Amino acid sequence: DKMDYFAIDNPKSLPRLLYRIAKLQTNSINRILKKMNITMDQLTLLAEPYRQDGMSLKVLAAKTCKDHTNIARILKPFVAEGLVEIMSPPEDRRYKLVYLTKAGREYMSELERYMGKCSEFAYNHYDKSTLDLMMRSMQMYEAIIVNNCYEIEQFAIKME
């Protein structure tokens, strides 16, 4: 039955399976990143300005699926260490933009090398077609979630 994929008492339901995979992956990455004094949440936030400097806190929150009110708090230690700057453009002080400093770029480059080596070791025994299949499956599931979340939330609200 199609509903078995979503049954809350089914340990192999899609939501529970996705939650478990995300938890296992996040916990594993956090243990790996502990050596570098950073968490997966923090790395996810720093990766965006590493790709594109000058992103607003609001855009950064949307790209990382985080509440925008928490972004500045999560970045605060990196600001204190001189790795990140949060500035308002002179033309509009309402916006806060996130920039990596030179030291922040060097830190991210070091993290990128470190995580690259760890990933290479972790996925070395998978062939490209298996990795491609995993990536396509995850991207497909993500698209389904992104495209349906608002409607599902509205449906749940109406049921109350």
PDB file of all heavy atoms in Angstrom, residues 12-46:
ATOM      1  N   LYS A  12      10.517   2.074   8.473  1.00  0.00           N
ATOM      2  CA  LYS A  12      11.116   2.281   7.157  1.00  0.00           C
ATOM      3  C   LYS A  12      10.299   3.253   6.303  1.00  0.00           C
ATOM      4  O   LYS A  12      10.442   3.297   5.088  1.00  0.00           O
ATOM      5  CB  LYS A  12      11.275   0.948   6.440  1.00  0.00           C
ATOM      6  CG  LYS A  12      12.240   0.015   7.167  1.00  0.00           C
ATOM      7  CD  LYS A  12      12.662  -1.121   6.284  1.00  0.00           C
ATOM      8  CE  LYS A  12      13.455  -2.157   6.986  1.00  0.00           C
ATOM      9  NZ  LYS A  12      14.732  -1.894   7.454  1.00  0.00           N
ATOM     10  N   SER A  13       9.443   4.051   6.962  1.00  0.00           N
ATOM     11  CA  SER A  13       8.680   5.052   6.208  1.00  0.00           C
ATOM     12  C   SER A  13       9.645   6.096   5.658  1.00  0.00           C
ATOM     13  O   SER A  13      10.740   6.301   6.195  1.00  0.00           O
ATOM     14  CB  SER A  13       7.629   5.711   7.098  1.00  0.00           C
ATOM     15  OG  SER A  13       8.251   6.542   8.057  1.00  0.00           O
ATOM     16  N   LEU A  14       9.286   6.739   4.587  1.00  0.00           N
ATOM     17  CA  LEU A  14      10.169   7.737   3.965  1.00  0.00           C
ATOM     18  C   LEU A  14      10.577   8.851   4.927  1.00  0.00           C
ATOM     19  O   LEU A  14      11.763   9.165   5.025  1.00  0.00           O
ATOM     20  CB  LEU A  14       9.528   8.317   2.705  1.00  0.00           C
ATOM     21  CG  LEU A  14       9.578   7.414   1.478  1.00  0.00           C
ATOM     22  CD1 LEU A  14       8.748   8.007   0.341  1.00  0.00           C
ATOM     23  CD2 LEU A  14      11.001   7.173   1.028  1.00  0.00           C
ATOM     24  N   PRO A  15       9.638   9.455   5.664  1.00  0.00           N
ATOM     25  CA  PRO A  15      10.069  10.518   6.584  1.00  0.00           C
ATOM     26  C   PRO A  15      11.035  10.017   7.657  1.00  0.00           C
ATOM     27  O   PRO A  15      12.029  10.673   7.958  1.00  0.00           O
ATOM     28  CB  PRO A  15       8.760  11.016   7.206  1.00  0.00           C
ATOM     29  CG  PRO A  15       7.711  10.666   6.206  1.00  0.00           C
ATOM     30  CD  PRO A  15       8.173   9.382   5.586  1.00  0.00           C
ATOM     31  N   ARG A  16      10.773   8.851   8.217  1.00  0.00           N
ATOM     32  CA  ARG A  16      11.672   8.321   9.260  1.00  0.00           C
ATOM     33  C   ARG A  16      13.015   7.909   8.673  1.00  0.00           C
ATOM     34  O   ARG A  16      14.052   8.111   9.297  1.00  0.00           O
ATOM     35  CB  ARG A  16      11.002   7.155   9.991  1.00  0.00           C
ATOM     36  CG  ARG A  16       9.924   7.676  10.944  1.00  0.00           C
ATOM     37  CD  ARG A  16       9.207   6.592  11.670  1.00  0.00           C
ATOM     38  NE  ARG A  16      10.048   5.904  12.636  1.00  0.00           N
ATOM     39  CZ  ARG A  16       9.607   4.898  13.386  1.00  0.00           C
ATOM     40  NH1 ARG A  16       8.353   4.507  13.295  1.00  0.00           N
ATOM     41  NH2 ARG A  16      10.412   4.305  14.237  1.00  0.00           N
ATOM     42  N   LEU A  17      13.006   7.331   7.489  1.00  0.00           N
ATOM     43  CA  LEU A  17      14.247   6.944   6.831  1.00  0.00           C
ATOM     44  C   LEU A  17      15.097   8.174   6.507  1.00  0.00           C
ATOM     45  O   LEU A  17      16.299   8.201   6.775  1.00  0.00           O
ATOM     46  CB  LEU A  17      13.949   6.148   5.555  1.00  0.00           C
ATOM     47  CG  LEU A  17      15.146   5.640   4.767  1.00  0.00           C
ATOM     48  CD1 LEU A  17      16.004   4.710   5.619  1.00  0.00           C
ATOM     49  CD2 LEU A  17      14.676   4.930   3.507  1.00  0.00           C
ATOM     50  N   LEU A  18      14.462   9.201   5.978  1.00  0.00           N
ATOM     51  CA  LEU A  18      15.188  10.428   5.660  1.00  0.00           C
ATOM     52  C   LEU A  18      15.745  11.068   6.931  1.00  0.00           C
ATOM     53  O   LEU A  18      16.893  11.511   6.960  1.00  0.00           O
ATOM     54  CB  LEU A  18      14.275  11.421   4.927  1.00  0.00           C
ATOM     55  CG  LEU A  18      14.944  12.715   4.496  1.00  0.00           C
ATOM     56  CD1 LEU A  18      16.094  12.437   3.535  1.00  0.00           C
ATOM     57  CD2 LEU A  18      13.945  13.637   3.863  1.00  0.00           C
ATOM     58  N   TYR A  19      14.948  11.098   7.985  1.00  0.00           N
ATOM     59  CA  TYR A  19      15.406  11.650   9.258  1.00  0.00           C
ATOM     60  C   TYR A  19      16.622  10.872   9.762  1.00  0.00           C
ATOM     61  O   TYR A  19      17.620  11.456  10.191  1.00  0.00           O
ATOM     62  CB  TYR A  19      14.277  11.618  10.295  1.00  0.00           C
ATOM     63  CG  TYR A  19      14.720  12.091  11.659  1.00  0.00           C
ATOM     64  CD1 TYR A  19      14.810  13.448  11.939  1.00  0.00           C
ATOM     65  CD2 TYR A  19      15.069  11.181  12.650  1.00  0.00           C
ATOM     66  CE1 TYR A  19      15.237  13.896  13.181  1.00  0.00           C
ATOM     67  CE2 TYR A  19      15.495  11.621  13.894  1.00  0.00           C
ATOM     68  CZ  TYR A  19      15.576  12.977  14.146  1.00  0.00           C
ATOM     69  OH  TYR A  19      15.997  13.406  15.376  1.00  0.00           O
ATOM     70  N   ARG A  20      16.538   9.547   9.712  1.00  0.00           N
ATOM     71  CA  ARG A  20      17.630   8.702  10.188  1.00  0.00           C
ATOM     72  C   ARG A  20      18.899   8.922   9.366  1.00  0.00           C
ATOM     73  O   ARG A  20      19.993   9.052   9.922  1.00  0.00           O
ATOM     74  CB  ARG A  20      17.207   7.231  10.156  1.00  0.00           C
ATOM     75  CG  ARG A  20      18.255   6.285  10.663  1.00  0.00           C
ATOM     76  CD  ARG A  20      17.696   4.857  10.798  1.00  0.00           C
ATOM     77  NE  ARG A  20      18.731   3.864  10.902  1.00  0.00           N
ATOM     78  CZ  ARG A  20      19.541   3.711  11.943  1.00  0.00           C
ATOM     79  NH1 ARG A  20      19.421   4.497  12.976  1.00  0.00           N
ATOM     80  NH2 ARG A  20      20.464   2.769  11.956  1.00  0.00           N
ATOM     81  N   ILE A  21      18.763   8.964   8.041  1.00  0.00           N
ATOM     82  CA  ILE A  21      19.923   9.198   7.165  1.00  0.00           C
ATOM     83  C   ILE A  21      20.548  10.550   7.485  1.00  0.00           C
ATOM     84  O   ILE A  21      21.767  10.661   7.635  1.00  0.00           O
ATOM     85  CB  ILE A  21      19.514   9.126   5.678  1.00  0.00           C
ATOM     86  CG1 ILE A  21      19.152   7.689   5.289  1.00  0.00           C
ATOM     87  CG2 ILE A  21      20.630   9.667   4.780  1.00  0.00           C
ATOM     88  CD1 ILE A  21      18.470   7.578   3.936  1.00  0.00           C
ATOM     89  N   ALA A  22      19.717  11.579   7.604  1.00  0.00           N
ATOM     90  CA  ALA A  22      20.228  12.920   7.896  1.00  0.00           C
ATOM     91  C   ALA A  22      20.932  12.945   9.248  1.00  0.00           C
ATOM     92  O   ALA A  22      22.009  13.545   9.386  1.00  0.00           O
ATOM     93  CB  ALA A  22      19.086  13.939   7.870  1.00  0.00           C
ATOM     94  N   LYS A  23      20.353  12.292  10.248  1.00  0.00           N
ATOM     95  CA  LYS A  23      20.952  12.257  11.581  1.00  0.00           C
ATOM     96  C   LYS A  23      22.287  11.514  11.564  1.00  0.00           C
ATOM     97  O   LYS A  23      23.273  11.983  12.135  1.00  0.00           O
ATOM     98  CB  LYS A  23      20.000  11.543  12.521  1.00  0.00           C
ATOM     99  CG  LYS A  23      19.439  12.192  13.715  1.00  0.00           C
ATOM    100  CD  LYS A  23      19.764  13.573  13.983  1.00  0.00           C
ATOM    101  CE  LYS A  23      19.613  13.863  15.438  1.00  0.00           C
ATOM    102  NZ  LYS A  23      20.007  15.165  15.823  1.00  0.00           N
ATOM    103  N   LEU A  24      22.313  10.345  10.929  1.00  0.00           N
ATOM    104  CA  LEU A  24      23.550   9.567  10.845  1.00  0.00           C
ATOM    105  C   LEU A  24      24.647  10.364  10.145  1.00  0.00           C
ATOM    106  O   LEU A  24      25.790  10.424  10.608  1.00  0.00           O
ATOM    107  CB  LEU A  24      23.315   8.245  10.099  1.00  0.00           C
ATOM    108  CG  LEU A  24      22.526   7.182  10.847  1.00  0.00           C
ATOM    109  CD1 LEU A  24      22.108   6.056   9.901  1.00  0.00           C
ATOM    110  CD2 LEU A  24      23.337   6.618  12.002  1.00  0.00           C
ATOM    111  N   GLN A  25      24.296  10.982   9.021  1.00  0.00           N
ATOM    112  CA  GLN A  25      25.269  11.753   8.245  1.00  0.00           C
ATOM    113  C   GLN A  25      25.758  12.974   9.028  1.00  0.00           C
ATOM    114  O   GLN A  25      26.947  13.238   9.104  1.00  0.00           O
ATOM    115  CB  GLN A  25      24.652  12.182   6.910  1.00  0.00           C
ATOM    116  CG  GLN A  25      25.590  12.917   5.992  1.00  0.00           C
ATOM    117  CD  GLN A  25      26.653  12.008   5.388  1.00  0.00           C
ATOM    118  OE1 GLN A  25      26.490  10.804   5.319  1.00  0.00           O
ATOM    119  NE2 GLN A  25      27.754  12.589   4.971  1.00  0.00           N
ATOM    120  N   THR A  26      24.831  13.714   9.626  1.00  0.00           N
ATOM    121  CA  THR A  26      25.194  14.912  10.385  1.00  0.00           C
ATOM    122  C   THR A  26      26.064  14.553  11.587  1.00  0.00           C
ATOM    123  O   THR A  26      27.083  15.205  11.842  1.00  0.00           O
ATOM    124  CB  THR A  26      23.934  15.671  10.843  1.00  0.00           C
ATOM    125  OG1 THR A  26      23.189  16.040   9.677  1.00  0.00           O
ATOM    126  CG2 THR A  26      24.282  16.923  11.624  1.00  0.00           C
ATOM    127  N   ASN A  27      25.683  13.520  12.319  1.00  0.00           N
ATOM    128  CA  ASN A  27      26.478  13.099  13.479  1.00  0.00           C
ATOM    129  C   ASN A  27      27.877  12.670  13.060  1.00  0.00           C
ATOM    130  O   ASN A  27      28.866  13.021  13.717  1.00  0.00           O
ATOM    131  CB  ASN A  27      25.780  11.976  14.247  1.00  0.00           C
ATOM    132  CG  ASN A  27      24.541  12.454  14.965  1.00  0.00           C
ATOM    133  OD1 ASN A  27      24.318  13.640  15.144  1.00  0.00           O
ATOM    134  ND2 ASN A  27      23.698  11.521  15.367  1.00  0.00           N
ATOM    135  N   SER A  28      27.974  11.922  11.975  1.00  0.00           N
ATOM    136  CA  SER A  28      29.269  11.475  11.479  1.00  0.00           C
ATOM    137  C   SER A  28      30.129  12.667  11.062  1.00  0.00           C
ATOM    138  O   SER A  28      31.301  12.769  11.437  1.00  0.00           O
ATOM    139  CB  SER A  28      29.063  10.523  10.295  1.00  0.00           C
ATOM    140  OG  SER A  28      30.296  10.176   9.724  1.00  0.00           O
ATOM    141  N   ILE A  29      29.539  13.579  10.313  1.00  0.00           N
ATOM    142  CA  ILE A  29      30.287  14.758   9.860  1.00  0.00           C
ATOM    143  C   ILE A  29      30.696  15.621  11.051  1.00  0.00           C
ATOM    144  O   ILE A  29      31.813  16.133  11.093  1.00  0.00           O
ATOM    145  CB  ILE A  29      29.472  15.558   8.826  1.00  0.00           C
ATOM    146  CG1 ILE A  29      29.380  14.756   7.521  1.00  0.00           C
ATOM    147  CG2 ILE A  29      30.087  16.927   8.571  1.00  0.00           C
ATOM    148  CD1 ILE A  29      28.462  15.337   6.472  1.00  0.00           C
ATOM    149  N   ASN A  30      29.819  15.767  12.045  1.00  0.00           N
ATOM    150  CA  ASN A  30      30.176  16.551  13.238  1.00  0.00           C
ATOM    151  C   ASN A  30      31.364  15.940  13.972  1.00  0.00           C
ATOM    152  O   ASN A  30      32.232  16.667  14.471  1.00  0.00           O
ATOM    153  CB  ASN A  30      28.987  16.716  14.175  1.00  0.00           C
ATOM    154  CG  ASN A  30      28.062  17.833  13.730  1.00  0.00           C
ATOM    155  OD1 ASN A  30      28.461  18.753  13.038  1.00  0.00           O
ATOM    156  ND2 ASN A  30      26.816  17.738  14.125  1.00  0.00           N
ATOM    157  N   ARG A  31      31.418  14.600  14.036  1.00  0.00           N
ATOM    158  CA  ARG A  31      32.566  13.951  14.687  1.00  0.00           C
ATOM    159  C   ARG A  31      33.848  14.216  13.884  1.00  0.00           C
ATOM    160  O   ARG A  31      34.905  14.470  14.461  1.00  0.00           O
ATOM    161  CB  ARG A  31      32.323  12.457  14.849  1.00  0.00           C
ATOM    162  CG  ARG A  31      31.350  12.124  15.979  1.00  0.00           C
ATOM    163  CD  ARG A  31      31.291  10.639  16.285  1.00  0.00           C
ATOM    164  NE  ARG A  31      30.812   9.834  15.176  1.00  0.00           N
ATOM    165  CZ  ARG A  31      29.521   9.601  14.910  1.00  0.00           C
ATOM    166  NH1 ARG A  31      28.577  10.107  15.683  1.00  0.00           N
ATOM    167  NH2 ARG A  31      29.172   8.844  13.890  1.00  0.00           N
ATOM    168  N   ILE A  32      33.755  14.173  12.568  1.00  0.00           N
ATOM    169  CA  ILE A  32      34.906  14.441  11.699  1.00  0.00           C
ATOM    170  C   ILE A  32      35.339  15.898  11.828  1.00  0.00           C
ATOM    171  O   ILE A  32      36.528  16.201  11.908  1.00  0.00           O
ATOM    172  CB  ILE A  32      34.567  14.092  10.226  1.00  0.00           C
ATOM    173  CG1 ILE A  32      34.380  12.580  10.074  1.00  0.00           C
ATOM    174  CG2 ILE A  32      35.624  14.617   9.277  1.00  0.00           C
ATOM    175  CD1 ILE A  32      33.707  12.172   8.770  1.00  0.00           C
ATOM    176  N   LEU A  33      34.368  16.806  11.863  1.00  0.00           N
ATOM    177  CA  LEU A  33      34.659  18.242  11.909  1.00  0.00           C
ATOM    178  C   LEU A  33      35.135  18.726  13.274  1.00  0.00           C
ATOM    179  O   LEU A  33      35.690  19.821  13.376  1.00  0.00           O
ATOM    180  CB  LEU A  33      33.424  19.045  11.494  1.00  0.00           C
ATOM    181  CG  LEU A  33      33.049  18.981  10.020  1.00  0.00           C
ATOM    182  CD1 LEU A  33      31.712  19.660   9.788  1.00  0.00           C
ATOM    183  CD2 LEU A  33      34.130  19.586   9.153  1.00  0.00           C
ATOM    184  N   LYS A  34      34.929  17.919  14.304  1.00  0.00           N
ATOM    185  CA  LYS A  34      35.318  18.331  15.665  1.00  0.00           C
ATOM    186  C   LYS A  34      36.789  18.735  15.704  1.00  0.00           C
ATOM    187  O   LYS A  34      37.156  19.707  16.366  1.00  0.00           O
ATOM    188  CB  LYS A  34      35.025  17.207  16.650  1.00  0.00           C
ATOM    189  CG  LYS A  34      35.166  17.613  18.081  1.00  0.00           C
ATOM    190  CD  LYS A  34      34.678  16.525  19.008  1.00  0.00           C
ATOM    191  CE  LYS A  34      34.658  17.093  20.412  1.00  0.00           C
ATOM    192  NZ  LYS A  34      33.860  16.319  21.304  1.00  0.00           N
ATOM    193  N   LYS A  35      37.613  18.029  14.956  1.00  0.00           N
ATOM    194  CA  LYS A  35      39.050  18.334  14.882  1.00  0.00           C
ATOM    195  C   LYS A  35      39.292  19.757  14.372  1.00  0.00           C
ATOM    196  O   LYS A  35      40.263  20.410  14.739  1.00  0.00           O
ATOM    197  CB  LYS A  35      39.731  17.319  13.959  1.00  0.00           C
ATOM    198  CG  LYS A  35      41.170  17.618  13.652  1.00  0.00           C
ATOM    199  CD  LYS A  35      41.725  16.639  12.640  1.00  0.00           C
ATOM    200  CE  LYS A  35      43.125  17.065  12.254  1.00  0.00           C
ATOM    201  NZ  LYS A  35      43.649  16.264  11.172  1.00  0.00           N
ATOM    202  N   MET A  36      38.380  20.241  13.528  1.00  0.00           N
ATOM    203  CA  MET A  36      38.526  21.569  12.929  1.00  0.00           C
ATOM    204  C   MET A  36      37.736  22.636  13.698  1.00  0.00           C
ATOM    205  O   MET A  36      37.606  23.766  13.248  1.00  0.00           O
ATOM    206  CB  MET A  36      38.061  21.537  11.467  1.00  0.00           C
ATOM    207  CG  MET A  36      38.779  20.512  10.595  1.00  0.00           C
ATOM    208  SD  MET A  36      40.514  20.865  10.339  1.00  0.00           S
ATOM    209  CE  MET A  36      40.425  22.223   9.214  1.00  0.00           C
ATOM    210  N   ASN A  37      37.152  22.260  14.848  1.00  0.00           N
ATOM    211  CA  ASN A  37      36.390  23.186  15.698  1.00  0.00           C
ATOM    212  C   ASN A  37      35.225  23.854  14.973  1.00  0.00           C
ATOM    213  O   ASN A  37      35.025  25.069  15.077  1.00  0.00           O
ATOM    214  CB  ASN A  37      37.311  24.254  16.300  1.00  0.00           C
ATOM    215  CG  ASN A  37      38.324  23.654  17.233  1.00  0.00           C
ATOM    216  OD1 ASN A  37      38.001  22.775  18.019  1.00  0.00           O
ATOM    217  ND2 ASN A  37      39.561  24.090  17.115  1.00  0.00           N
ATOM    218  N   ILE A  38      34.475  23.051  14.262  1.00  0.00           N
ATOM    219  CA  ILE A  38      33.310  23.564  13.534  1.00  0.00           C
ATOM    220  C   ILE A  38      32.253  22.460  13.488  1.00  0.00           C
ATOM    221  O   ILE A  38      32.591  21.277  13.562  1.00  0.00           O
ATOM    222  CB  ILE A  38      33.715  24.033  12.112  1.00  0.00           C
ATOM    223  CG1 ILE A  38      32.580  24.801  11.429  1.00  0.00           C
ATOM    224  CG2 ILE A  38      34.209  22.876  11.258  1.00  0.00           C
ATOM    225  CD1 ILE A  38      32.997  25.498  10.145  1.00  0.00           C
ATOM    226  N   THR A  39      30.983  22.852  13.409  1.00  0.00           N
ATOM    227  CA  THR A  39      29.892  21.884  13.270  1.00  0.00           C
ATOM    228  C   THR A  39      29.364  21.910  11.849  1.00  0.00           C
ATOM    229  O   THR A  39      29.653  22.825  11.075  1.00  0.00           O
ATOM    230  CB  THR A  39      28.729  22.210  14.230  1.00  0.00           C
ATOM    231  OG1 THR A  39      28.141  23.453  13.818  1.00  0.00           O
ATOM    232  CG2 THR A  39      29.189  22.272  15.679  1.00  0.00           C
ATOM    233  N   MET A  40      28.567  20.922  11.518  1.00  0.00           N
ATOM    234  CA  MET A  40      27.949  20.863  10.191  1.00  0.00           C
ATOM    235  C   MET A  40      27.083  22.099   9.943  1.00  0.00           C
ATOM    236  O   MET A  40      27.095  22.655   8.856  1.00  0.00           O
ATOM    237  CB  MET A  40      27.117  19.579  10.060  1.00  0.00           C
ATOM    238  CG  MET A  40      26.528  19.368   8.703  1.00  0.00           C
ATOM    239  SD  MET A  40      27.820  19.122   7.484  1.00  0.00           S
ATOM    240  CE  MET A  40      26.851  19.164   6.010  1.00  0.00           C
ATOM    241  N   ASP A  41      26.321  22.530  10.954  1.00  0.00           N
ATOM    242  CA  ASP A  41      25.496  23.737  10.816  1.00  0.00           C
ATOM    243  C   ASP A  41      26.353  24.943  10.452  1.00  0.00           C
ATOM    244  O   ASP A  41      26.006  25.723   9.566  1.00  0.00           O
ATOM    245  CB  ASP A  41      24.745  24.040  12.122  1.00  0.00           C
ATOM    246  CG  ASP A  41      23.387  23.386  12.184  1.00  0.00           C
ATOM    247  OD1 ASP A  41      22.959  22.792  11.181  1.00  0.00           O
ATOM    248  OD2 ASP A  41      22.756  23.479  13.241  1.00  0.00           O
ATOM    249  N   GLN A  42      27.471  25.092  11.153  1.00  0.00           N
ATOM    250  CA  GLN A  42      28.352  26.229  10.893  1.00  0.00           C
ATOM    251  C   GLN A  42      29.003  26.114   9.515  1.00  0.00           C
ATOM    252  O   GLN A  42      29.086  27.098   8.775  1.00  0.00           O
ATOM    253  CB  GLN A  42      29.420  26.324  11.982  1.00  0.00           C
ATOM    254  CG  GLN A  42      28.857  26.665  13.341  1.00  0.00           C
ATOM    255  CD  GLN A  42      29.858  26.431  14.454  1.00  0.00           C
ATOM    256  OE1 GLN A  42      30.675  25.512  14.403  1.00  0.00           O
ATOM    257  NE2 GLN A  42      29.799  27.274  15.479  1.00  0.00           N
ATOM    258  N   LEU A  43      29.445  24.907   9.179  1.00  0.00           N
ATOM    259  CA  LEU A  43      30.074  24.696   7.872  1.00  0.00           C
ATOM    260  C   LEU A  43      29.103  25.010   6.738  1.00  0.00           C
ATOM    261  O   LEU A  43      29.466  25.650   5.759  1.00  0.00           O
ATOM    262  CB  LEU A  43      30.577  23.259   7.755  1.00  0.00           C
ATOM    263  CG  LEU A  43      31.174  22.860   6.397  1.00  0.00           C
ATOM    264  CD1 LEU A  43      32.387  23.717   6.058  1.00  0.00           C
ATOM    265  CD2 LEU A  43      31.536  21.389   6.381  1.00  0.00           C
ATOM    266  N   THR A  44      27.861  24.585   6.911  1.00  0.00           N
ATOM    267  CA  THR A  44      26.836  24.853   5.900  1.00  0.00           C
ATOM    268  C   THR A  44      26.671  26.356   5.687  1.00  0.00           C
ATOM    269  O   THR A  44      26.558  26.823   4.555  1.00  0.00           O
ATOM    270  CB  THR A  44      25.492  24.218   6.331  1.00  0.00           C
ATOM    271  OG1 THR A  44      25.683  22.823   6.496  1.00  0.00           O
ATOM    272  CG2 THR A  44      24.408  24.456   5.308  1.00  0.00           C
ATOM    273  N   LEU A  45      26.690  27.111   6.780  1.00  0.00           N
ATOM    274  CA  LEU A  45      26.554  28.570   6.668  1.00  0.00           C
ATOM    275  C   LEU A  45      27.784  29.207   6.016  1.00  0.00           C
ATOM    276  O   LEU A  45      27.653  30.098   5.179  1.00  0.00           O
ATOM    277  CB  LEU A  45      26.329  29.198   8.043  1.00  0.00           C
ATOM    278  CG  LEU A  45      24.963  28.969   8.656  1.00  0.00           C
ATOM    279  CD1 LEU A  45      24.889  29.624  10.015  1.00  0.00           C
ATOM    280  CD2 LEU A  45      23.867  29.501   7.759  1.00  0.00           C
ATOM    281  N   LEU A  46      28.970  28.769   6.403  1.00  0.00           N
ATOM    282  CA  LEU A  46      30.187  29.365   5.855  1.00  0.00           C
ATOM    283  C   LEU A  46      30.417  28.986   4.385  1.00  0.00           C
ATOM    284  O   LEU A  46      31.065  29.729   3.649  1.00  0.00           O
ATOM    285  CB  LEU A  46      31.411  28.947   6.677  1.00  0.00           C
ATOM    286  CG  LEU A  46      31.494  29.486   8.095  1.00  0.00           C
ATOM    287  CD1 LEU A  46      32.782  29.007   8.763  1.00  0.00           C
ATOM    288  CD2 LEU A  46      31.429  30.998   8.125  1.00  0.00           C
TER     289      LEU A  46
END
